Amino acid sequence: MAKIVIALGGNALGNTPYEQLELVRETAKPIVDLIEQGNEVVIAHGNGPQVGMINLGMATAAEAKAIKSDMPFPECGAMSQGYIGYHLQNAIGNELAQRGIKKEIATVVTQVLVDENDPAFTHPTKPVGAFYDKETAERIAKEKGYTMVEDAGRGYRQVVPSPKPIDVIEKGAVEALIKDGYIVVTVGGGGIPVVRRDGLLYGTPAVIDKDFASEKLAELIDADLLIILTAVEKVAINYNKPDVKWLSEMTVEDALKYASEGQFAPGSMLPKVQACVQFAKSKSGRKALITSLDKALQALNGQTGTVVTG
């Protein structure tokens, strides 16, 4: 039995709440496969599409005078944690019930500490919200004052600051729930970014990368394995090129070398690899795994995926 932190991508959850509710029913199955094997599972998830749409929707409604004000980004993050957590709780709980497995599942709305002097605050890079064509993106940037950039050839998206996580404020609650046998959904969307001033916590407008937050949580709760789920079964070098090479294993040294060569796309595979490297380095014997959702169980059993070792 292993203690596993699973990082689930926000883009895997669909583009609308209705689509997400359908998709998580399939998402639940490989997660419950891991639970059924006796593993302690903690689930983290992204919220890039969801938090961006909440923020834009609230801002648009406020401009139209339909509501009294827009919604600050930390609160948008909390809202996304709540409804994504509910969907995961519901789907995983139902899948457990169908298999006759008696396990409780809970979502923890999670604050994650960041440094307000992090240089990320002056250089927004984290894509959030929907994809747009260039013309629409330029119009939104002009009207809303957002920073819009091209994202991995898929269109244009808003980008916001993405500071590095320092600590998970509710880690004690997460550990207590795990000890009592709960499946925990936590650090949703990377957690709600907060800064500490004079001993008090204050929300700050940003989105923490869920891969880095998942890695930090995995360290703090002394997990055995970090699994980062993405759209591909394995990590590749020379991706989308005739000489593409799919990797079954990378050492920390290999991963750093490939990253320095620009093999991994920023905002896509690069943070996943960087998070895996950090976890593999953090303690002897720890390892991380990158694979697709449908291959999670096979990857855990060594049949596929990319393992990152120290």
Side-chain angles (χ1 to χ4, degrees), residues 131-256:
F131 289 91
Y132 301 97
D133 59 37
K134 186 176 182 180
E135 182 180 353
T136 304
E138 288 175 347
R139 176 178 58 79
I140 291 172
K142 184 177 180 181
E143 292 176 355
K144 308 286 187 184
Y146 294 166
T147 301
M148 308 290 286
V149 301
E150 196 274 332
D151 181 12
R154 296 174 290 176
Y156 288 77
R157 295 174 79 187
Q158 180 188 1
V159 289
V160 297
S162 184
K164 292 292 191 298
I166 297 171
D167 193 12
V168 177
I169 303 302
E170 290 80 12
K171 59 183 179 294
V174 173
E175 288 181 301
L177 287 166
I178 295 169
K179 185 177 179 181
D180 284 345
Y182 280 74
I183 302 156
V184 185
V185 181
T186 187
V187 293
I192 302 160
V194 295
V195 297
R196 182 173 277 123
R197 301 185 194 120
D198 300 323
L200 303 179
L201 297 173
Y202 299 89
T204 189
V207 172
I208 302 167
D209 190 285
K210 71 97 176 42
D211 297 316
F212 293 132
S214 302
E215 188 283 325
K216 178 58 67 176
L217 176 73
E219 281 192 45
L220 292 169
I221 66 171
D222 196 24
D224 303 300
L225 177 67
L226 171 66
I227 301 179
I228 296 182
L229 299 176
T230 185
V232 293
E233 188 174 333
K234 294 184 178 184
V235 177
I237 56 174
N238 303 323
Y239 186 64
N240 275 341
K241 296 179 181 178
D243 58 343
V244 62
K245 181 181 179 183
W246 298 96
L247 306 172
S248 296
E249 186 172 354
M250 287 190 294
T251 63
V252 165
E253 291 74 18
D254 291 335
L256 293 173

Side-chain angles (χ1 to χ4, degrees), residues 59-77:
T60 302
E63 287 178 7
K65 309 300 182 184
I67 58 176
K68 292 185 177 180
S69 83
D70 60 6
M71 188 68 66
F73 233 96
E75 282 75 4
C76 290

